[in-house]
């Protein structure tokens, strides 16, 4: 069927639903298996319901997928990847809490590749239910003015769709006026939808966009107030319009009370209308929002790609998110194993074991790996993606900076961790030093633990490390029984160096994983460095030694052999 497969190439594609009939007629279909996310939502700390202010990103690339199948957004439609040059990718997952896939179709089902990438990094994904213009009025009249049976059918279908495709809920955006009968049923519809989503999807969310008022007129408020509060009370959050000033934030904070982090104050990166800051000044909006303890909704960060162009996209993207980092609380990984080759899910070549396997552009967000923090220290350190060389996938992580005069090393924080340390850890590292004097530098991993009186390394007689910094022991060869998993302990290839380490900890809680770049000789001068990271793994030794469960009863369908 043309809805599920591209008529030209037969490849599976993402799709949306238009109008009420399509929504009510939807049912699970074996042809849409390709659109079901296979990546469960990874756990992270702090969890979404913690009371610190959150960051929502609303992705609106040129009006979303399929505005013109053959020109715009085409790469997002081909859910098994495409040969797209310079595609848009998002990878600052550690800095955000919720990802909304937005388009102007009635029911936007997030393309599965976006859900996979977000879930792997612990971020829930919302689709969009939108009505607008006169068609929207008719649609709302049909299902809202009709009473409980009619709106219950719509909320039931939306919950089933999220459950079937394994995404996490809905942004509801009613951008048209409503009759008295329709607006009267809007709060019960939102309550019903929210309850249905919560029961169908663990951790599910329904967020309302600031548009219609309680009397049914369409009038954006740019705040939470008595005119729109009835909708906020009926669901998990409010996403405000963008044209607010500081007094709107003050009033919102007062009215929201203990639910202040459920208000997502809208920030349009394109700075349309009368707004406080967009583009590279977006931080000005975020600074104010955070001063009032509110959450933020960053709309259309694709500005970096659409406005500044695709040429230096990765560089500009790091600059944009780096400018906001001060106002974006980050998230910690809280489960092992942690393993990543840092691939963005795109590239100009494909690499395997450090060797270029296939040249040519590719894009497949489902193949994006767990993304690190992207620390920047003005003039001293930059973290970026390198497409020219990789260990596996399409890219590696490039760390560039200087070791200051008189200091022995620099620690670059890759991941924040928050979990009890198992008694024994194995760590592996693949790296490549660039630059004129790679022989003068050494590279290793460092783990830090949260300060507690009981935590120590090794056996009971060893002394606690000062300030919880642990330098795992280098393993020249893998321990018996782990030769397969840690095969590359001392065997890099194609210029990559491979290292394995072990670390014994007792009563500790993991805090940070960093890369330590040190110089062999102390120096009164600063020493520049540039290092590519190809892969990092942190493994719980106990589960690494256990043999994996056998795979049984494999079946395959919908195959096309080439």
């Amino acid at each position: 069927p043309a809805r599920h497969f591209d008529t030209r190439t037969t490849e599976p594609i993402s799709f949306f639903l238009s109008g009420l009939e399509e929504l009510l007629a939807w049912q699970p279909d074996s042809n849409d298996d390709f659109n079901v996310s296979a990546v469960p939502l990874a756990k992270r700390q702090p969890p979404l319901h913690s009371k610190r202010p959150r960051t929502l990103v609303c992705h609106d690339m040129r009006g979303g997928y399929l505005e013109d199948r053959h020109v715009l957004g085409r790469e997002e439609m081909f859910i098994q990847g495409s040969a797209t040059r310079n595609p848009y990718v998002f990878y600052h997952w550690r800095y955000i809490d919720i990802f909304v896939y937005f388009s102007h179709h009635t029911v936007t089902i997030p393309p599965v590749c976006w859900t996979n990438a977000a879930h792997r990094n612990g971020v829930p994904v919302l689709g969009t239910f939108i009505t607008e213009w006169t068609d929207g009025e008719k649609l709302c009249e049909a299902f809202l003015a009709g009473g409980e049976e009619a709106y219950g059918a719509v909320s039931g279908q939306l919950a089933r769709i999220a459950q079937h495709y394994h995404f996490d809920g809905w942004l509801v955006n009613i951008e048209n006026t409503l009759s008295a009968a329709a607006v009267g049923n809007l709060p019960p519809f939102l309550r019903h939808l929210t309850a249905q989503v919560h029961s169908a999807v663990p951790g599910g969310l329904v967020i309302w966009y600031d548009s219609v008022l309680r009397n049914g007129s369409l009038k954006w408020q740019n705040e939470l107030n008595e005119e729109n509060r009835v909708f906020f009370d009926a669901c998990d959050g409010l996403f405000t319009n963008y044209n607010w000033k500081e007094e709107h934030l003050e009033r919102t904070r007062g009215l929201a009370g203990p639910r202040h982090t459920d208000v997502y104050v809208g920030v349009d990166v394109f700075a349309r209308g009368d707004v406080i800051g967009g583009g590279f000044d977006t931080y000005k909006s975020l600074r104010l929002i955070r001063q009032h303890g509110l959450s933020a909704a960053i709309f259309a960060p694709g500005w970096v790609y659409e406005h500044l162009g695709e040429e230096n996209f990765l560089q500009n993207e790091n600059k944009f998110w780096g400018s906001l980092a001060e106002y974006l609380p980050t998230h910690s990984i809280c489960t092992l194993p942690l393993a990543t080759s840092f691939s963005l899910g795109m590239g100009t070549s494909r690499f395997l074991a450090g060797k270029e396997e296939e040249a040519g552009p590719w894009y497949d967000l489902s193949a994006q790996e767990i993304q690190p923090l992207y620390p920047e220290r003005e003039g001293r350190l930059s973290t970026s993606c390198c497409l020219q060389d990789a260990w596996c996938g399409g890219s590696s992580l490039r760390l560039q900076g200087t070791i200051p005069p008189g200091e022995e090393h620099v620690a670059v924080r890759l991941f924040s961790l928050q979990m009890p340390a198992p008694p024994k850890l194995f760590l592996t590292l693949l790296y490549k030093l660039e630059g004129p004097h790679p022989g003068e530098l050494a590279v290793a991993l460092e783990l830090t633990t949260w300060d507690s009186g009981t935590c120590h390394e090794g056996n009971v007689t060893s002394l606690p490390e000062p300030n919880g910094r642990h330098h795992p022991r280098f393993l020249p060869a893998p321990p018996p029984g782990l030769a397969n998993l840690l095969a590359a302990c001392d065997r890099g290839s194609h210029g990559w160096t491979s290292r394995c380490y072990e670390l014994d900890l007792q009563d500790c809680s993991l805090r940070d994983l960093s890369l330590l770049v040190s110089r062999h000789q102390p120096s009164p001068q600063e020493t520049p460095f540039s290092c590519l990271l190809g892969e990092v793994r942190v493994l719980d030794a106990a589960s690494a030694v256990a043999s994996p469960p056998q795979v049984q009863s494999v079946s395959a369908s919908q195959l096309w052999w080439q």
Side-chain angles (χ1 to χ4, degrees):
R3 167 177 283 171
H4 298 102
F5 300 97
D6 182 56
T7 46
R8 214 168 44 86
T9 65
T10 78
E11 288 173 82
I13 51 174
S14 57
F15 64 93
F16 52 86
L17 303 174
S18 294
L20 202 53
E21 279 177 33
E22 280 196 11
L23 169 59
L24 293 173
W26 175 87
Q27 51 192 33
D29 175 338
S30 62
N31 285 308
D32 64 13
D33 287 352
F34 290 110
N35 287 283
V36 176
S37 170
V39 181
L41 179 59
K43 288 190 167 64
R44 56 186 347 205
Q45 285 290 344
L48 193 62
H49 49 76
S50 74
K51 277 297 166 200
R52 74 174 190 181
R54 304 178 201 115
T55 307
L56 175 153
V57 162
C58 191
H59 172 65
D60 170 46
M61 273 301 277
R62 301 170 179 161
Y65 54 14
L66 303 197
E67 284 307 90
D68 174 339
R69 275 181 79 133
H70 297 291
V71 189
L72 303 181
R74 182 179 176 84
E75 61 272 14
E76 302 203 346
M77 179 182 97
F78 286 108
I79 50 186
Q80 291 190 328
S82 59
T84 307
R85 251 173 226 293
N86 301 325
Y88 175 77
V89 287
F90 179 82
Y91 50 94
H92 285 81
W93 300 108
R94 300 269 135 243
Y95 300 85
I96 76 165
D97 296 84
I98 301 167
F99 185 84
V100 177
Y101 194 92
F102 182 86
S103 83
H104 288 276
H105 303 290
T106 314
V107 176
T108 298
I109 297 166
V112 64
C113 44
W114 279 98
T115 306
N116 287 341
H119 278 186
R120 189 169 288 126
N121 286 282
V123 175
V125 177
L126 308 186
T128 308
F129 176 57
I130 189 173
T131 67
E132 45 193 348
W133 314 110
T134 47
D135 284 351
E137 277 182 54
K138 288 180 195 144
L139 193 152
C140 289
E141 196 62 24
F143 88 93
L144 282 173
E148 190 173 344
E149 198 177 330
Y151 70 69
V154 169
S155 57
Q157 282 292 76
L158 290 172
R160 279 190 286 277
I161 288 170
Q163 182 183 43
H164 178 71
Y165 297 109
H166 295 182
F167 62 96
D168 306 286
W170 296 97
L171 173 69
V172 178
N173 190 355
I174 307 290
E175 299 245 13
N176 45 257
T177 54
L178 296 175
S179 68
V183 80
N185 279 328
L186 188 49
F189 162 68
L190 282 174
R191 278 195 292 275
H192 195 257
L193 174 62
T194 304
Q196 295 262 357
V197 166
H198 287 182
S199 80
V201 179
L205 288 171
V206 173
I207 292 177
W208 168 257
Y209 182 71
D210 155 31
S211 50
V212 176
L213 308 186
R214 61 185 179 177
N215 66 8
S217 60
L218 176 64
K219 198 171 176 196
W220 297 272
Q221 299 295 289
N222 307 298
E223 66 177 334
L224 172 68
N225 60 26
E226 291 300 344
E227 298 302 317
N228 58 21
R229 179 183 184 168
V230 59
F231 309 121
F232 175 63
D233 291 342
C235 68
D236 295 308
L238 168 76
F239 177 154
T240 78
N241 193 45
Y242 314 103
N243 302 316
W244 45 268
K245 295 285 174 275
E246 193 165 6
E247 57 266 27
H248 294 94
L249 302 182
E250 286 164 8
R251 292 195 294 262
T252 295
R253 173 71 205 242
L255 191 61
R259 285 190 68 199
H260 57 93
T261 54
D262 293 339
V263 179
Y264 301 84
V265 180
V267 177
D268 180 5
V269 181
F270 278 87
R272 291 164 279 213
D274 181 13
V275 303
I276 287 187
F280 286 120
D281 285 336
T282 300
Y283 73 92
K284 293 176 180 172
S285 300
L286 278 179
R287 184 169 58 200
L288 277 174
I289 292 167
R290 298 308 194 208
Q291 278 168 10
H292 293 277
L294 300 167
S295 291
I298 300 173
F299 183 74
W303 171 85
V304 175
Y305 184 88
E306 294 182 51
H307 180 72
L308 301 174
E310 48 193 60
E311 277 312 298
N312 292 320
F313 167 62
L314 294 176
Q315 206 179 330
N316 290 329
E317 182 77 342
N318 289 343
K319 179 182 170 187
F320 175 76
W321 289 98
S323 73
L324 304 181
E326 187 185 339
Y327 307 107
L328 303 176
T330 59
H331 294 83
S332 307
I333 287 176
C334 61
T335 53
L336 294 180
L338 163 58
T340 181
S341 69
F342 306 102
S343 181
L344 294 177
M346 61 158 285
T348 49
S349 300
R350 284 180 193 269
F351 294 86
L352 187 61
K355 177 171 172 277
E356 184 181 65
E357 290 273 292
E358 191 182 352
W362 65 277
Y363 168 77
D364 181 2
L365 276 179
S366 291
Q368 188 183 85
E369 302 238 344
I370 292 174
Q371 292 298 309
L373 297 164
Y374 279 84
E376 296 285 328
R377 290 202 282 277
E378 208 53 53
R380 295 260 310 279
L381 173 72
S382 74
T383 316
S384 58
C385 313
C386 169
L387 299 175
Q388 291 72 43
D389 198 357
W391 174 255
C392 180
S395 53
S396 55
L397 190 70
R398 177 178 271 136
L399 305 173
Q400 286 174 302
T402 54
I403 303 174
E407 297 196 12
E408 285 172 33
H409 59 249
V410 170
V412 184
R413 191 164 160 251
L414 300 173
F415 290 98
S416 163
L417 309 170
Q418 198 171 329
M419 61 186 123
K424 190 191 229 358
L425 288 164
F426 289 124
L427 300 91
T428 68
L429 169 66
L430 275 148
Y431 69 91
K432 185 182 274 195
L433 280 166
E434 304 178 299
H437 310 293
E440 296 174 7
L441 297 167
V443 175
L445 290 172
E446 174 180 271
L447 264 177
T448 56
T449 50
W450 292 92
D451 214 12
S452 83
T454 57
C455 168
H456 58 266
E457 241 181 78
N459 53 23
V460 184
T461 55
S462 30
L463 295 168
E465 288 288 317
N467 57 22
R469 293 179 180 280
H470 306 276
H471 302 112
R473 284 188 302 284
F474 173 60
L475 285 174
L482 283 173
N484 285 349
L485 191 61
L486 305 181
C489 268
D490 211 15
R491 296 205 313 270
S493 55
H494 301 283
W496 291 88
T497 303
S498 172
R499 291 279 182 263
C500 293
Y501 308 91
E502 65 178 347
L503 180 61
D504 299 311
L505 293 170
Q506 288 195 329
D507 301 326
C508 298
S509 187
L510 300 178
R511 182 174 186 167
D512 285 316
L513 176 67
S514 300
L515 188 78
L516 208 59
V517 182
S518 36
R519 44 183 165 206
H520 296 307
Q521 302 295 325
S523 163
Q525 264 85 48
E526 60 176 34
T527 306
F529 65 85
S530 180
C531 178
L532 296 182
L533 285 193
E535 186 186 72
V536 168
R537 296 187 295 174
V538 182
L539 312 171
D540 175 350
S543 50
V545 174
S547 48
Q550 291 299 303
V551 176
Q552 290 171 340
S553 57
V554 174
S555 67
S557 60
Q558 305 274 27
L559 297 178
W560 179 33
W561 292 101
Q562 271 184 294

